[in-house]
Amino acid sequence: QSALTQPRSVSGSPGQSVTISCTGTSSDVGGYNYVSWYQQHPGKAPKLMIYGVSERPSGVPDRFSGSKSGNTASLTISGLQAEDEADYYCCSYAGTYILVFGGGTKLTVL
Amino acid sequence: EVQLVESGGGLVQPGGSLRLSCAASGFTFSSHYMHWVRQAPGKGLVWVSRINGDGSATSYADSVKGRFTISRDNAKNTLYLQMNSLRAEDTAVYYCARGMGITTVYTDYWGQGTLVTVSS
């Protein structure tokens, strides 16, 4: 149950696009289409942004999109806005009813 | 409105025990998987445990297996986490989270968390 690998930080200017990667193994990310992404602002609870690799829950802007290739999932945020500045976590099913999170990525909007 | 309110956190000595509770409202509690996720100060999210709707199936992260027990009381709409043999590395904010729909792999609502500090 090793944590998925995410970059510690990414940054972008308002209006730009950024992509956050999430690398696992064939036992988690690569083995199932059960990847989700969470946004967490300081002192707040996480919020589900993407599930099922690329599906958006109701209310999440379509600026947020997800994808997966092999053992790596990605979250892309286009048209960056100041309120997007937060920590982002990927999460994957890892078999036998276990979930594993990534280490988290701090997004800075310059 | 879906609400999840955790309680029971506090300061406990290494080797001690604590029981966390999560009071749920605004949805049919028994229809959803429930999860516990923790976050050490300044660190990332770590999945801890999950339980199915009727409480008959549970799973745990290796780091807590044999020490923590998840349970639920559907009559009281409450989720629990019994934590025994606590260690310093268990210090974290503990969140309860609702499983999304009928799945066990996503969580769509989270509480605000309760802080557990394990220290002498």
Side-chain angles (χ1 to χ4, degrees):
Chain A
Q1 298 174 8
S2 299
L4 307 175
T5 300
Q6 297 181 232
R8 296 201 70 172
S9 64
V10 298
S11 63
S13 299
Q16 289 186 332
S17 294
V18 294
T19 296
I20 300 171
S21 62
C22 169
T23 301
T25 69
S26 58
S27 296
D28 38 62
V29 174
Y32 308 93
N33 286 324
Y34 294 141
V35 176
S36 52
W37 290 89
Y38 296 85
Q39 176 192 66
Q40 186 180 35
H41 287 107
K44 300 295 186 181
K47 175 186 176 183
L48 179 66
M49 304 300 285
I50 295 287
Y51 68 95
V53 176
S54 59
E55 300 296 316
R56 279 186 310 277
S58 174
V60 173
D62 59 7
R63 303 185 294 103
F64 291 83
S65 62
S67 62
K68 190 187 88 165
S69 178
N71 296 337
T72 298
S74 299
L75 173 71
T76 297
I77 309 171
S78 58
L80 267 179
Q81 299 182 4
E83 59 262 36
D84 298 333
E85 184 162 297
D87 294 326
Y88 291 85
Y89 295 90
C90 61
C91 181
S92 175
Y93 180 63
T96 57
Y97 305 106
I98 300 297
L99 299 181
V100 61
F101 280 93
T105 298
K106 180 178 179 58
L107 168 62
T108 300
V109 180
L110 301 170
Chain B
E1 178 193 6
V2 172
Q3 285 198 324
L4 299 169
V5 180
E6 301 93 339
S7 61
L11 176 64
V12 60
Q13 291 188 337
S17 298
L18 212 55
R19 188 176 83 155
L20 306 183
S21 300
C22 171
S25 61
F27 65 101
T28 304
F29 183 65
S30 60
S31 296
H32 291 261
Y33 284 85
M34 295 296 295
H35 299 253
W36 287 100
V37 178
R38 68 185 182 184
Q39 185 170 34
K43 302 296 185 182
L45 301 173
V46 176
W47 178 82
V48 173
S49 182
R50 69 100 204 180
I51 188 169
N52 70 343
D54 65 10
S56 61
T58 60
S59 54
Y60 300 90
D62 285 346
S63 58
V64 305
K65 197 176 297 183
R67 300 187 299 123
F68 289 12
T69 301
I70 190 173
S71 63
R72 64 194 298 161
D73 185 336
N74 286 344
K76 295 182 178 180
N77 288 347
T78 303
L79 174 72
Y80 302 102
L81 186 67
Q82 176 67 43
M83 304 185 296
N84 299 330
S85 303
L86 283 162
R87 307 166 180 167
E89 54 265 35
D90 296 319
T91 294
V93 172
Y94 284 74
Y95 295 99
C96 68
R98 188 183 83 162
M100 189 176 82
I102 61 171
T103 75
T104 182
V105 297
Y106 311 121
T107 54
D108 57 358
Y109 286 92
W110 294 54
Q112 287 304 305
T114 186
L115 176 63
V116 172
T117 303
V118 184
S119 175
S120 55

